[in-house]
Amino acid sequence: MMNFQRVSRVIVSLCLHALSGFTACSIAIADTIYQDPSDFIDEVFLGAPPAVSILNIIGKRRETVSKILDHPPSILRTRYWMKDTRSVWILEEIGKSKPITAGFIVENGQIQDVRILIYRESHGGEVRHDFFTNQFSGATLDSDLDLTQSIDGISGATLSVNAMRRLATLALYFDKEARTQ
Amino acid sequence: MKQVKKSNIVRFSRFHRVIGLLACLPMLSLAFTGILLNHSELLKLDSIHITNPQILNWYGMEPKSEPVAIEFAGNWIATFENLLYVNGKLIDQGASSPTGVGMLDSALVVTTQDSLLLIDQNSNTIIEKLGRENLPRGKIRAMAVRDGRVLLDTITTQYSAPPNISQFIEDNRSPLPLPQTSAVPKDLYQTMVANWRSQGLSLWRFVLDFHNASVLGSSGTVIMDVAALCMFGLVFSGIYLWSQRPR
């Protein structure tokens, strides 16, 4: 028959042993470059990218971008590549504490492809996988500047997922603005 | 037989009490922090940063490196723990060491190893940031602005760009000298350290560390494991005691 007093004593001693402590270790994580942004541009335009264009983020546009990002943009202008019905945007947004660099291909006002190019956080990198990024394919913007497609989150990567949602919305907005300027 | 059954119930009750007591604090902490984390977006826990020096000291939030800085026309451009500061103001994150500073029109041009930033020197805000896709391939080793052109050297090749930095083309000139780096003034250093410390620990992180007991380091993991095992014990001993109650 099991001796419960003995079991209790073992559990207590385990806890006390655990409390005698170690110091936590930290691991330095370098940037993970999944694809060089230059290679992404070359890939999209088959080695012959168009000349880069500039979109100013000032005035009413700045207000809209602030609303999309839920904070003022850190830059006053951004660059993009546009050919016929396609535009490509390389955008950055803080996930948890470090920027995520992502590439967006917008075709006819819809997201065609999303690619995580550089990921700098220690957690949440699941957003780079196709099962997540494929959700954005075909997404457009509605009149409230929301994505027309629901994007499922990833447990443990909420902040990265939210950053990617904001960037996708931004890419679509920028595409619309770039075509009207 | 009845005597054996009674003594088992007494033993199980004692066991149930002991492990319940052992598990109660970790489980209460887990439940409370779990509720907070479940609503972290609503509570904006990731936007609130801990600034309490005692807590930051507890986390060992001491910088592991010294700033690398370039002084240019009275401006201090420094990177510190992957953060880029201009005159003590945080400008950019995920930055490598500065490799050059210049003036283009009225904007500061700053390069790190893999980016070029145009900075409004009055407000110290970024006008534009050029990443790898807009720069020549390879790490940037030096940059200068001369006669309105931006000169940029990688390890192997020299480039230049017009004032609008639309495109870098290869340049037949001798390489630029490497940038002269120096120590930042003490007051700027203290500002940067205070800023870095305040950026490093969000309330979300702090609550999560309580949730998984990693505030106690590796011991916390063991404590939570033991508490979880206690929960198993509580459930099974509870079921046994419930099954033995008089009908």
PDB file of all heavy atoms in Angstrom, chain A residues 4-5 11 18 21-22 33 37-39 42 74 76-77 79 81 92 97, chain B residues 11 14 22 93 118 126-130 132-133 137 164-165 204 219:
ATOM      1  N   PHE A   4       1.349   7.507   1.895  1.00  0.00           N
ATOM      2  CA  PHE A   4       1.056   8.854   1.420  1.00  0.00           C
ATOM      3  C   PHE A   4       1.879   9.910   2.129  1.00  0.00           C
ATOM      4  O   PHE A   4       2.178  10.964   1.557  1.00  0.00           O
ATOM      5  CB  PHE A   4      -0.443   9.143   1.542  1.00  0.00           C
ATOM      6  CG  PHE A   4      -1.247   8.260   0.640  1.00  0.00           C
ATOM      7  CD1 PHE A   4      -2.046   7.261   1.164  1.00  0.00           C
ATOM      8  CD2 PHE A   4      -1.162   8.390  -0.734  1.00  0.00           C
ATOM      9  CE1 PHE A   4      -2.771   6.431   0.327  1.00  0.00           C
ATOM     10  CE2 PHE A   4      -1.888   7.556  -1.576  1.00  0.00           C
ATOM     11  CZ  PHE A   4      -2.690   6.567  -1.040  1.00  0.00           C
ATOM     12  N   GLN A   5       2.236   9.613   3.375  1.00  0.00           N
ATOM     13  CA  GLN A   5       3.103  10.569   4.075  1.00  0.00           C
ATOM     14  C   GLN A   5       4.436  10.680   3.346  1.00  0.00           C
ATOM     15  O   GLN A   5       4.977  11.765   3.165  1.00  0.00           O
ATOM     16  CB  GLN A   5       3.341  10.104   5.508  1.00  0.00           C
ATOM     17  CG  GLN A   5       2.172  10.421   6.420  1.00  0.00           C
ATOM     18  CD  GLN A   5       2.450   9.989   7.841  1.00  0.00           C
ATOM     19  OE1 GLN A   5       3.351   9.186   8.074  1.00  0.00           O
ATOM     20  NE2 GLN A   5       1.681  10.476   8.782  1.00  0.00           N
ATOM     21  N   ILE A  11       7.223  15.166  -2.415  1.00  0.00           N
ATOM     22  CA  ILE A  11       6.769  16.330  -3.191  1.00  0.00           C
ATOM     23  C   ILE A  11       7.299  17.615  -2.571  1.00  0.00           C
ATOM     24  O   ILE A  11       7.779  18.512  -3.257  1.00  0.00           O
ATOM     25  CB  ILE A  11       5.225  16.363  -3.296  1.00  0.00           C
ATOM     26  CG1 ILE A  11       4.755  15.197  -4.169  1.00  0.00           C
ATOM     27  CG2 ILE A  11       4.737  17.680  -3.875  1.00  0.00           C
ATOM     28  CD1 ILE A  11       3.266  14.990  -4.171  1.00  0.00           C
ATOM     29  N   ALA A  18      13.717  22.656  -5.886  1.00  0.00           N
ATOM     30  CA  ALA A  18      13.519  23.559  -7.027  1.00  0.00           C
ATOM     31  C   ALA A  18      13.747  24.999  -6.610  1.00  0.00           C
ATOM     32  O   ALA A  18      14.343  25.782  -7.347  1.00  0.00           O
ATOM     33  CB  ALA A  18      12.109  23.391  -7.575  1.00  0.00           C
ATOM     34  N   GLY A  21      17.194  26.938  -6.550  1.00  0.00           N
ATOM     35  CA  GLY A  21      17.369  27.903  -7.638  1.00  0.00           C
ATOM     36  C   GLY A  21      18.530  27.714  -8.575  1.00  0.00           C
ATOM     37  O   GLY A  21      19.597  27.278  -8.209  1.00  0.00           O
ATOM     38  N   PHE A  22      18.258  28.121  -9.783  1.00  0.00           N
ATOM     39  CA  PHE A  22      19.263  28.289 -10.821  1.00  0.00           C
ATOM     40  C   PHE A  22      19.024  29.671 -11.388  1.00  0.00           C
ATOM     41  O   PHE A  22      17.980  30.226 -11.153  1.00  0.00           O
ATOM     42  CB  PHE A  22      19.042  27.270 -11.950  1.00  0.00           C
ATOM     43  CG  PHE A  22      18.935  25.851 -11.478  1.00  0.00           C
ATOM     44  CD1 PHE A  22      17.715  25.322 -11.053  1.00  0.00           C
ATOM     45  CD2 PHE A  22      20.037  25.027 -11.448  1.00  0.00           C
ATOM     46  CE1 PHE A  22      17.601  24.017 -10.614  1.00  0.00           C
ATOM     47  CE2 PHE A  22      19.927  23.712 -11.020  1.00  0.00           C
ATOM     48  CZ  PHE A  22      18.706  23.207 -10.602  1.00  0.00           C
ATOM     49  N   ILE A  33      16.913  35.712 -41.769  1.00  0.00           N
ATOM     50  CA  ILE A  33      16.598  36.215 -43.107  1.00  0.00           C
ATOM     51  C   ILE A  33      16.094  35.040 -43.927  1.00  0.00           C
ATOM     52  O   ILE A  33      16.864  34.167 -44.322  1.00  0.00           O
ATOM     53  CB  ILE A  33      17.839  36.846 -43.774  1.00  0.00           C
ATOM     54  CG1 ILE A  33      18.364  37.995 -42.905  1.00  0.00           C
ATOM     55  CG2 ILE A  33      17.487  37.363 -45.169  1.00  0.00           C
ATOM     56  CD1 ILE A  33      19.691  38.559 -43.358  1.00  0.00           C
ATOM     57  N   PRO A  37      15.332  40.850 -49.247  1.00  0.00           N
ATOM     58  CA  PRO A  37      14.316  41.650 -49.941  1.00  0.00           C
ATOM     59  C   PRO A  37      14.645  41.909 -51.411  1.00  0.00           C
ATOM     60  O   PRO A  37      13.743  41.924 -52.253  1.00  0.00           O
ATOM     61  CB  PRO A  37      14.285  42.948 -49.130  1.00  0.00           C
ATOM     62  CG  PRO A  37      14.672  42.528 -47.750  1.00  0.00           C
ATOM     63  CD  PRO A  37      15.678  41.443 -47.943  1.00  0.00           C
ATOM     64  N   SER A  38      15.923  42.070 -51.742  1.00  0.00           N
ATOM     65  CA  SER A  38      16.297  42.290 -53.157  1.00  0.00           C
ATOM     66  C   SER A  38      15.939  41.068 -53.995  1.00  0.00           C
ATOM     67  O   SER A  38      15.459  41.189 -55.127  1.00  0.00           O
ATOM     68  CB  SER A  38      17.798  42.541 -53.302  1.00  0.00           C
ATOM     69  OG  SER A  38      18.205  43.567 -52.462  1.00  0.00           O
ATOM     70  N   ASP A  39      16.174  39.888 -53.420  1.00  0.00           N
ATOM     71  CA  ASP A  39      15.843  38.644 -54.145  1.00  0.00           C
ATOM     72  C   ASP A  39      14.338  38.522 -54.339  1.00  0.00           C
ATOM     73  O   ASP A  39      13.864  38.020 -55.355  1.00  0.00           O
ATOM     74  CB  ASP A  39      16.365  37.421 -53.387  1.00  0.00           C
ATOM     75  CG  ASP A  39      17.881  37.349 -53.375  1.00  0.00           C
ATOM     76  OD1 ASP A  39      18.493  37.944 -54.302  1.00  0.00           O
ATOM     77  OD2 ASP A  39      18.451  36.718 -52.471  1.00  0.00           O
ATOM     78  N   ASP A  42      13.392  40.737 -57.216  1.00  0.00           N
ATOM     79  CA  ASP A  42      13.842  40.096 -58.474  1.00  0.00           C
ATOM     80  C   ASP A  42      12.939  38.922 -58.841  1.00  0.00           C
ATOM     81  O   ASP A  42      12.605  38.719 -60.009  1.00  0.00           O
ATOM     82  CB  ASP A  42      15.281  39.599 -58.322  1.00  0.00           C
ATOM     83  CG  ASP A  42      16.294  40.721 -58.447  1.00  0.00           C
ATOM     84  OD1 ASP A  42      15.906  41.798 -58.946  1.00  0.00           O
ATOM     85  OD2 ASP A  42      17.457  40.537 -58.043  1.00  0.00           O
ATOM     86  N   SER A  74       6.286  55.613 -38.673  1.00  0.00           N
ATOM     87  CA  SER A  74       7.605  56.119 -38.280  1.00  0.00           C
ATOM     88  C   SER A  74       8.321  56.787 -39.447  1.00  0.00           C
ATOM     89  O   SER A  74       9.403  57.337 -39.274  1.00  0.00           O
ATOM     90  CB  SER A  74       8.463  54.972 -37.743  1.00  0.00           C
ATOM     91  OG  SER A  74       8.583  53.968 -38.728  1.00  0.00           O
ATOM     92  N   LEU A  76       8.021  59.117 -43.364  1.00  0.00           N
ATOM     93  CA  LEU A  76       7.222  60.084 -44.098  1.00  0.00           C
ATOM     94  C   LEU A  76       7.024  59.699 -45.556  1.00  0.00           C
ATOM     95  O   LEU A  76       6.235  60.321 -46.266  1.00  0.00           O
ATOM     96  CB  LEU A  76       7.882  61.470 -44.036  1.00  0.00           C
ATOM     97  CG  LEU A  76       7.919  62.117 -42.642  1.00  0.00           C
ATOM     98  CD1 LEU A  76       8.631  63.466 -42.698  1.00  0.00           C
ATOM     99  CD2 LEU A  76       6.506  62.314 -42.110  1.00  0.00           C
ATOM    100  N   ARG A  77       7.782  58.711 -46.009  1.00  0.00           N
ATOM    101  CA  ARG A  77       7.552  58.212 -47.359  1.00  0.00           C
ATOM    102  C   ARG A  77       8.045  56.768 -47.473  1.00  0.00           C
ATOM    103  O   ARG A  77       8.887  56.331 -46.698  1.00  0.00           O
ATOM    104  CB  ARG A  77       8.182  59.097 -48.425  1.00  0.00           C
ATOM    105  CG  ARG A  77       9.662  59.336 -48.321  1.00  0.00           C
ATOM    106  CD  ARG A  77      10.086  60.355 -49.381  1.00  0.00           C
ATOM    107  NE  ARG A  77      11.526  60.418 -49.482  1.00  0.00           N
ATOM    108  CZ  ARG A  77      12.234  61.531 -49.418  1.00  0.00           C
ATOM    109  NH1 ARG A  77      11.622  62.706 -49.253  1.00  0.00           N
ATOM    110  NH2 ARG A  77      13.536  61.502 -49.532  1.00  0.00           N
ATOM    111  N   ARG A  79       8.799  53.388 -50.439  1.00  0.00           N
ATOM    112  CA  ARG A  79       9.086  53.083 -51.846  1.00  0.00           C
ATOM    113  C   ARG A  79       8.347  51.818 -52.270  1.00  0.00           C
ATOM    114  O   ARG A  79       8.048  50.958 -51.437  1.00  0.00           O
ATOM    115  CB  ARG A  79      10.600  52.899 -52.043  1.00  0.00           C
ATOM    116  CG  ARG A  79      11.348  54.169 -51.734  1.00  0.00           C
ATOM    117  CD  ARG A  79      12.769  54.165 -52.177  1.00  0.00           C
ATOM    118  NE  ARG A  79      13.346  55.487 -51.920  1.00  0.00           N
ATOM    119  CZ  ARG A  79      14.432  55.941 -52.505  1.00  0.00           C
ATOM    120  NH1 ARG A  79      15.082  55.197 -53.365  1.00  0.00           N
ATOM    121  NH2 ARG A  79      14.887  57.150 -52.216  1.00  0.00           N
ATOM    122  N   TRP A  81       7.347  49.181 -56.004  1.00  0.00           N
ATOM    123  CA  TRP A  81       7.588  48.854 -57.415  1.00  0.00           C
ATOM    124  C   TRP A  81       6.238  48.526 -58.036  1.00  0.00           C
ATOM    125  O   TRP A  81       5.455  47.748 -57.482  1.00  0.00           O
ATOM    126  CB  TRP A  81       8.514  47.625 -57.519  1.00  0.00           C
ATOM    127  CG  TRP A  81       9.894  47.890 -56.995  1.00  0.00           C
ATOM    128  CD1 TRP A  81      11.009  48.146 -57.724  1.00  0.00           C
ATOM    129  CD2 TRP A  81      10.301  47.938 -55.619  1.00  0.00           C
ATOM    130  NE1 TRP A  81      12.096  48.363 -56.898  1.00  0.00           N
ATOM    131  CE2 TRP A  81      11.681  48.231 -55.598  1.00  0.00           C
ATOM    132  CE3 TRP A  81       9.644  47.768 -54.400  1.00  0.00           C
ATOM    133  CZ2 TRP A  81      12.423  48.362 -54.419  1.00  0.00           C
ATOM    134  CZ3 TRP A  81      10.365  47.898 -53.218  1.00  0.00           C
ATOM    135  CH2 TRP A  81      11.743  48.182 -53.238  1.00  0.00           C
ATOM    136  N   GLU A  92       7.597  47.163 -42.936  1.00  0.00           N
ATOM    137  CA  GLU A  92       8.078  46.711 -41.625  1.00  0.00           C
ATOM    138  C   GLU A  92       7.120  47.124 -40.541  1.00  0.00           C
ATOM    139  O   GLU A  92       6.564  48.229 -40.593  1.00  0.00           O
ATOM    140  CB  GLU A  92       9.440  47.373 -41.306  1.00  0.00           C
ATOM    141  CG  GLU A  92      10.624  46.541 -41.679  1.00  0.00           C
ATOM    142  CD  GLU A  92      11.949  47.125 -41.214  1.00  0.00           C
ATOM    143  OE1 GLU A  92      11.969  48.084 -40.422  1.00  0.00           O
ATOM    144  OE2 GLU A  92      12.958  46.593 -41.684  1.00  0.00           O
ATOM    145  N   SER A  97       8.527  43.129 -30.066  1.00  0.00           N
ATOM    146  CA  SER A  97       9.452  44.202 -29.711  1.00  0.00           C
ATOM    147  C   SER A  97      10.421  44.522 -30.848  1.00  0.00           C
ATOM    148  O   SER A  97      11.168  45.478 -30.763  1.00  0.00           O
ATOM    149  CB  SER A  97      10.251  43.832 -28.462  1.00  0.00           C
ATOM    150  OG  SER A  97      10.963  42.637 -28.689  1.00  0.00           O
TER     151      SER A  97
ATOM    152  N   ARG B  11      -5.571   8.631   5.106  1.00  0.00           N
ATOM    153  CA  ARG B  11      -4.315   8.891   4.375  1.00  0.00           C
ATOM    154  C   ARG B  11      -4.584   9.730   3.122  1.00  0.00           C
ATOM    155  O   ARG B  11      -3.855  10.679   2.835  1.00  0.00           O
ATOM    156  CB  ARG B  11      -3.669   7.564   3.961  1.00  0.00           C
ATOM    157  CG  ARG B  11      -2.992   6.828   5.094  1.00  0.00           C
ATOM    158  CD  ARG B  11      -2.000   5.820   4.522  1.00  0.00           C
ATOM    159  NE  ARG B  11      -1.514   4.973   5.592  1.00  0.00           N
ATOM    160  CZ  ARG B  11      -1.875   3.712   5.813  1.00  0.00           C
ATOM    161  NH1 ARG B  11      -2.723   3.095   5.015  1.00  0.00           N
ATOM    162  NH2 ARG B  11      -1.386   3.023   6.829  1.00  0.00           N
ATOM    163  N   ARG B  14      -5.316  13.297   4.037  1.00  0.00           N
ATOM    164  CA  ARG B  14      -4.099  14.018   4.402  1.00  0.00           C
ATOM    165  C   ARG B  14      -3.320  14.378   3.126  1.00  0.00           C
ATOM    166  O   ARG B  14      -2.839  15.492   2.958  1.00  0.00           O
ATOM    167  CB  ARG B  14      -3.256  13.162   5.334  1.00  0.00           C
ATOM    168  CG  ARG B  14      -2.350  13.965   6.256  1.00  0.00           C
ATOM    169  CD  ARG B  14      -1.656  13.079   7.269  1.00  0.00           C
ATOM    170  NE  ARG B  14      -2.604  12.509   8.228  1.00  0.00           N
ATOM    171  CZ  ARG B  14      -2.410  11.352   8.871  1.00  0.00           C
ATOM    172  NH1 ARG B  14      -1.350  10.612   8.643  1.00  0.00           N
ATOM    173  NH2 ARG B  14      -3.297  10.922   9.729  1.00  0.00           N
ATOM    174  N   LEU B  22       0.164  22.687  -1.273  1.00  0.00           N
ATOM    175  CA  LEU B  22       1.384  22.902  -2.071  1.00  0.00           C
ATOM    176  C   LEU B  22       1.068  23.592  -3.391  1.00  0.00           C
ATOM    177  O   LEU B  22       1.810  24.451  -3.856  1.00  0.00           O
ATOM    178  CB  LEU B  22       2.049  21.564  -2.380  1.00  0.00           C
ATOM    179  CG  LEU B  22       3.031  21.016  -1.352  1.00  0.00           C
ATOM    180  CD1 LEU B  22       3.506  19.636  -1.783  1.00  0.00           C
ATOM    181  CD2 LEU B  22       4.221  21.950  -1.159  1.00  0.00           C
ATOM    182  N   GLN B  93      14.573  50.469 -34.698  1.00  0.00           N
ATOM    183  CA  GLN B  93      14.865  49.234 -33.985  1.00  0.00           C
ATOM    184  C   GLN B  93      15.444  48.203 -34.947  1.00  0.00           C
ATOM    185  O   GLN B  93      15.275  48.295 -36.145  1.00  0.00           O
ATOM    186  CB  GLN B  93      13.587  48.702 -33.337  1.00  0.00           C
ATOM    187  CG  GLN B  93      12.944  49.708 -32.423  1.00  0.00           C
ATOM    188  CD  GLN B  93      11.883  49.114 -31.539  1.00  0.00           C
ATOM    189  OE1 GLN B  93      11.738  47.908 -31.426  1.00  0.00           O
ATOM    190  NE2 GLN B  93      11.121  49.962 -30.888  1.00  0.00           N
ATOM    191  N   LEU B 118      17.031  58.572 -43.898  1.00  0.00           N
ATOM    192  CA  LEU B 118      17.017  60.023 -44.024  1.00  0.00           C
ATOM    193  C   LEU B 118      16.272  60.538 -42.808  1.00  0.00           C
ATOM    194  O   LEU B 118      15.129  60.140 -42.559  1.00  0.00           O
ATOM    195  CB  LEU B 118      16.275  60.444 -45.296  1.00  0.00           C
ATOM    196  CG  LEU B 118      16.996  60.213 -46.606  1.00  0.00           C
ATOM    197  CD1 LEU B 118      16.063  60.498 -47.775  1.00  0.00           C
ATOM    198  CD2 LEU B 118      18.211  61.122 -46.715  1.00  0.00           C
ATOM    199  N   ILE B 126      12.304  59.958 -38.739  1.00  0.00           N
ATOM    200  CA  ILE B 126      12.728  59.359 -40.008  1.00  0.00           C
ATOM    201  C   ILE B 126      11.862  59.900 -41.146  1.00  0.00           C
ATOM    202  O   ILE B 126      10.633  59.879 -41.076  1.00  0.00           O
ATOM    203  CB  ILE B 126      12.578  57.821 -39.983  1.00  0.00           C
ATOM    204  CG1 ILE B 126      13.386  57.215 -38.835  1.00  0.00           C
ATOM    205  CG2 ILE B 126      13.023  57.206 -41.304  1.00  0.00           C
ATOM    206  CD1 ILE B 126      13.211  55.717 -38.692  1.00  0.00           C
ATOM    207  N   ILE B 127      12.511  60.404 -42.168  1.00  0.00           N
ATOM    208  CA  ILE B 127      11.788  60.792 -43.384  1.00  0.00           C
ATOM    209  C   ILE B 127      11.570  59.527 -44.225  1.00  0.00           C
ATOM    210  O   ILE B 127      10.486  59.229 -44.699  1.00  0.00           O
ATOM    211  CB  ILE B 127      12.580  61.833 -44.194  1.00  0.00           C
ATOM    212  CG1 ILE B 127      12.772  63.104 -43.349  1.00  0.00           C
ATOM    213  CG2 ILE B 127      11.895  62.140 -45.521  1.00  0.00           C
ATOM    214  CD1 ILE B 127      13.776  64.082 -43.923  1.00  0.00           C
ATOM    215  N   GLU B 128      12.652  58.803 -44.396  1.00  0.00           N
ATOM    216  CA  GLU B 128      12.570  57.587 -45.201  1.00  0.00           C
ATOM    217  C   GLU B 128      13.622  56.595 -44.746  1.00  0.00           C
ATOM    218  O   GLU B 128      14.694  56.996 -44.290  1.00  0.00           O
ATOM    219  CB  GLU B 128      12.804  57.927 -46.684  1.00  0.00           C
ATOM    220  CG  GLU B 128      12.527  56.769 -47.628  1.00  0.00           C
ATOM    221  CD  GLU B 128      12.580  57.174 -49.085  1.00  0.00           C
ATOM    222  OE1 GLU B 128      12.953  58.319 -49.398  1.00  0.00           O
ATOM    223  OE2 GLU B 128      12.244  56.322 -49.924  1.00  0.00           O
ATOM    224  N   LYS B 129      13.273  55.311 -44.835  1.00  0.00           N
ATOM    225  CA  LYS B 129      14.234  54.252 -44.489  1.00  0.00           C
ATOM    226  C   LYS B 129      14.372  53.324 -45.700  1.00  0.00           C
ATOM    227  O   LYS B 129      13.374  52.803 -46.193  1.00  0.00           O
ATOM    228  CB  LYS B 129      13.738  53.459 -43.284  1.00  0.00           C
ATOM    229  CG  LYS B 129      14.664  52.320 -42.889  1.00  0.00           C
ATOM    230  CD  LYS B 129      14.152  51.578 -41.676  1.00  0.00           C
ATOM    231  CE  LYS B 129      15.017  50.345 -41.399  1.00  0.00           C
ATOM    232  NZ  LYS B 129      14.541  49.583 -40.241  1.00  0.00           N
ATOM    233  N   LEU B 130      15.596  53.200 -46.173  1.00  0.00           N
ATOM    234  CA  LEU B 130      15.842  52.284 -47.288  1.00  0.00           C
ATOM    235  C   LEU B 130      16.444  51.001 -46.749  1.00  0.00           C
ATOM    236  O   LEU B 130      17.461  51.038 -46.071  1.00  0.00           O
ATOM    237  CB  LEU B 130      16.797  52.921 -48.309  1.00  0.00           C
ATOM    238  CG  LEU B 130      16.409  54.280 -48.872  1.00  0.00           C
ATOM    239  CD1 LEU B 130      17.352  54.681 -49.997  1.00  0.00           C
ATOM    240  CD2 LEU B 130      14.985  54.258 -49.396  1.00  0.00           C
ATOM    241  N   ARG B 132      17.427  46.658 -47.540  1.00  0.00           N
ATOM    242  CA  ARG B 132      18.289  45.941 -48.481  1.00  0.00           C
ATOM    243  C   ARG B 132      17.804  46.021 -49.924  1.00  0.00           C
ATOM    244  O   ARG B 132      18.597  45.981 -50.863  1.00  0.00           O
ATOM    245  CB  ARG B 132      18.344  44.457 -48.087  1.00  0.00           C
ATOM    246  CG  ARG B 132      19.054  44.176 -46.797  1.00  0.00           C
ATOM    247  CD  ARG B 132      18.668  42.790 -46.301  1.00  0.00           C
ATOM    248  NE  ARG B 132      19.112  42.573 -44.950  1.00  0.00           N
ATOM    249  CZ  ARG B 132      20.212  41.899 -44.626  1.00  0.00           C
ATOM    250  NH1 ARG B 132      20.962  41.370 -45.567  1.00  0.00           N
ATOM    251  NH2 ARG B 132      20.566  41.752 -43.380  1.00  0.00           N
ATOM    252  N   GLU B 133      16.466  46.085 -50.095  1.00  0.00           N
ATOM    253  CA  GLU B 133      15.906  46.037 -51.447  1.00  0.00           C
ATOM    254  C   GLU B 133      16.217  47.310 -52.237  1.00  0.00           C
ATOM    255  O   GLU B 133      16.102  47.325 -53.452  1.00  0.00           O
ATOM    256  CB  GLU B 133      14.378  45.809 -51.375  1.00  0.00           C
ATOM    257  CG  GLU B 133      13.564  46.939 -50.775  1.00  0.00           C
ATOM    258  CD  GLU B 133      13.570  46.959 -49.251  1.00  0.00           C
ATOM    259  OE1 GLU B 133      14.291  46.160 -48.617  1.00  0.00           O
ATOM    260  OE2 GLU B 133      12.834  47.799 -48.688  1.00  0.00           O
ATOM    261  N   ARG B 137      23.881  45.237 -52.937  1.00  0.00           N
ATOM    262  CA  ARG B 137      24.045  43.999 -52.161  1.00  0.00           C
ATOM    263  C   ARG B 137      25.345  44.047 -51.365  1.00  0.00           C
ATOM    264  O   ARG B 137      26.335  44.600 -51.806  1.00  0.00           O
ATOM    265  CB  ARG B 137      24.073  42.795 -53.104  1.00  0.00           C
ATOM    266  CG  ARG B 137      22.708  42.468 -53.663  1.00  0.00           C
ATOM    267  CD  ARG B 137      22.742  41.239 -54.537  1.00  0.00           C
ATOM    268  NE  ARG B 137      21.461  41.060 -55.194  1.00  0.00           N
ATOM    269  CZ  ARG B 137      20.482  40.295 -54.728  1.00  0.00           C
ATOM    270  NH1 ARG B 137      20.655  39.625 -53.602  1.00  0.00           N
ATOM    271  NH2 ARG B 137      19.348  40.177 -55.383  1.00  0.00           N
ATOM    272  N   ASN B 164      18.204  62.240 -54.922  1.00  0.00           N
ATOM    273  CA  ASN B 164      16.935  61.578 -54.560  1.00  0.00           C
ATOM    274  C   ASN B 164      17.135  60.096 -54.222  1.00  0.00           C
ATOM    275  O   ASN B 164      16.183  59.386 -53.924  1.00  0.00           O
ATOM    276  CB  ASN B 164      15.884  61.728 -55.669  1.00  0.00           C
ATOM    277  CG  ASN B 164      16.291  61.015 -56.958  1.00  0.00           C
ATOM    278  OD1 ASN B 164      17.353  60.397 -57.033  1.00  0.00           O
ATOM    279  ND2 ASN B 164      15.457  61.118 -57.980  1.00  0.00           N
ATOM    280  N   ILE B 165      18.383  59.641 -54.259  1.00  0.00           N
ATOM    281  CA  ILE B 165      18.757  58.252 -53.903  1.00  0.00           C
ATOM    282  C   ILE B 165      17.839  57.255 -54.623  1.00  0.00           C
ATOM    283  O   ILE B 165      17.358  56.282 -54.041  1.00  0.00           O
ATOM    284  CB  ILE B 165      18.739  58.001 -52.377  1.00  0.00           C
ATOM    285  CG1 ILE B 165      19.252  59.203 -51.606  1.00  0.00           C
ATOM    286  CG2 ILE B 165      19.629  56.800 -52.042  1.00  0.00           C
ATOM    287  CD1 ILE B 165      19.268  59.062 -50.090  1.00  0.00           C
ATOM    288  N   TRP B 204       3.095  42.613 -20.652  1.00  0.00           N
ATOM    289  CA  TRP B 204       2.693  41.294 -21.150  1.00  0.00           C
ATOM    290  C   TRP B 204       3.753  40.249 -20.822  1.00  0.00           C
ATOM    291  O   TRP B 204       3.451  39.164 -20.347  1.00  0.00           O
ATOM    292  CB  TRP B 204       2.478  41.386 -22.667  1.00  0.00           C
ATOM    293  CG  TRP B 204       2.100  40.093 -23.312  1.00  0.00           C
ATOM    294  CD1 TRP B 204       0.850  39.567 -23.441  1.00  0.00           C
ATOM    295  CD2 TRP B 204       2.992  39.148 -23.919  1.00  0.00           C
ATOM    296  NE1 TRP B 204       0.899  38.357 -24.096  1.00  0.00           N
ATOM    297  CE2 TRP B 204       2.203  38.082 -24.399  1.00  0.00           C
ATOM    298  CE3 TRP B 204       4.373  39.105 -24.105  1.00  0.00           C
ATOM    299  CZ2 TRP B 204       2.755  36.979 -25.051  1.00  0.00           C
ATOM    300  CZ3 TRP B 204       4.915  38.012 -24.753  1.00  0.00           C
ATOM    301  CH2 TRP B 204       4.108  36.965 -25.212  1.00  0.00           C
ATOM    302  N   SER B 219      14.050  27.126 -11.881  1.00  0.00           N
ATOM    303  CA  SER B 219      13.315  26.566 -10.731  1.00  0.00           C
ATOM    304  C   SER B 219      11.819  26.712 -10.935  1.00  0.00           C
ATOM    305  O   SER B 219      11.034  25.855 -10.539  1.00  0.00           O
ATOM    306  CB  SER B 219      13.656  27.310  -9.451  1.00  0.00           C
ATOM    307  OG  SER B 219      14.985  27.685  -9.427  1.00  0.00           O
TER     308      SER B 219
END
